Amino acid sequence: MAIAALLVPVMTVAGVVSSLHAQDIENDWSWQQQRACRQMPFPMTEYAAAWLGVALGVAAVIACVLVGKRIHRRDNVPLWRRWPGLVAFVCVWPNLLTIPMELITLYEAYSIAGSGVFLGDCG
C-alpha cells in the first residue's frame, strides 16, 4: 500500500514531463519541417508521449482511489488519517489539474499532425 501511495506523485510528475516532452517533439518537428521546406512525416513518438501523459494522470487518480478504499476497508478511517493515504490524497489534487493539460497536449498532437504546418517562404 505504501508503494502504491508513493507512486501517485511519481506518476503525476511523469505525466507532466511526458506531456512537456510531446510539446518539445512537436516544436522540433515543426522547426525541421520549415527548415527543409517540405512536408515531413509526423513523429509517432509524440503520439506515444501524449498518450503516456494522459494514461499516467488517470492511473495516478485510480491509484489514489484504490489506496483510499484499502485504508478505509482495513482500518475503517478516512484516507488522510494514515501517511500513505495522506501522501496520495495531497498529490492527487495537482494531478487533477494537470490531466486537462495532458488532454490538450493529446488534442494538439492529433490536430497538428492532421492539418499540416505553414511552411513559410519556400519559393
Side-chain angles (χ1 to χ4, degrees):
M1 181 175 57
I3 293 171
L6 293 175
L7 281 177
V8 172
V10 170
M11 287 188 285
T12 300
V13 171
V16 171
V17 168
S18 175
S19 292
L20 293 175
H21 184 63
Q23 291 175 353
D24 289 343
I25 292 170
E26 189 274 321
N27 289 336
D28 186 46
W29 169 78
S30 177
W31 180 79
Q32 286 179 358
Q33 181 172 270
Q34 288 178 357
R35 193 177 78 176
C37 282
R38 64 182 171 88
Q39 194 74 11
M40 296 173 65
F42 196 72
M44 293 303 290
T45 53
E46 183 175 0
Y47 292 126
W51 276 107
L52 183 65
V54 173
L56 285 170
V58 172
V61 173
I62 291 170
C64 180
V65 169
L66 292 176
V67 166
K69 283 186 161 204
R70 173 148 179 170
I71 288 173
H72 184 68
R73 191 173 354 136
R74 188 183 69 178
D75 300 332
N76 203 21
V77 295
L79 174 69
W80 52 85
R81 292 283 177 111
R82 301 288 183 254
W83 76 266
L86 183 63
V87 168
F89 183 73
V90 168
C91 294
V92 81
W93 287 106
N95 189 39
L96 291 174
L97 298 175
T98 61
I99 289 174
M101 180 196 78
E102 294 161 355
L103 289 172
I104 290 169
T105 302
L106 183 63
Y107 172 75
E108 287 176 352
Y110 279 97
S111 65
I112 290 173
S115 68
V117 176
F118 176 68
L119 296 177
D121 294 327
C122 291

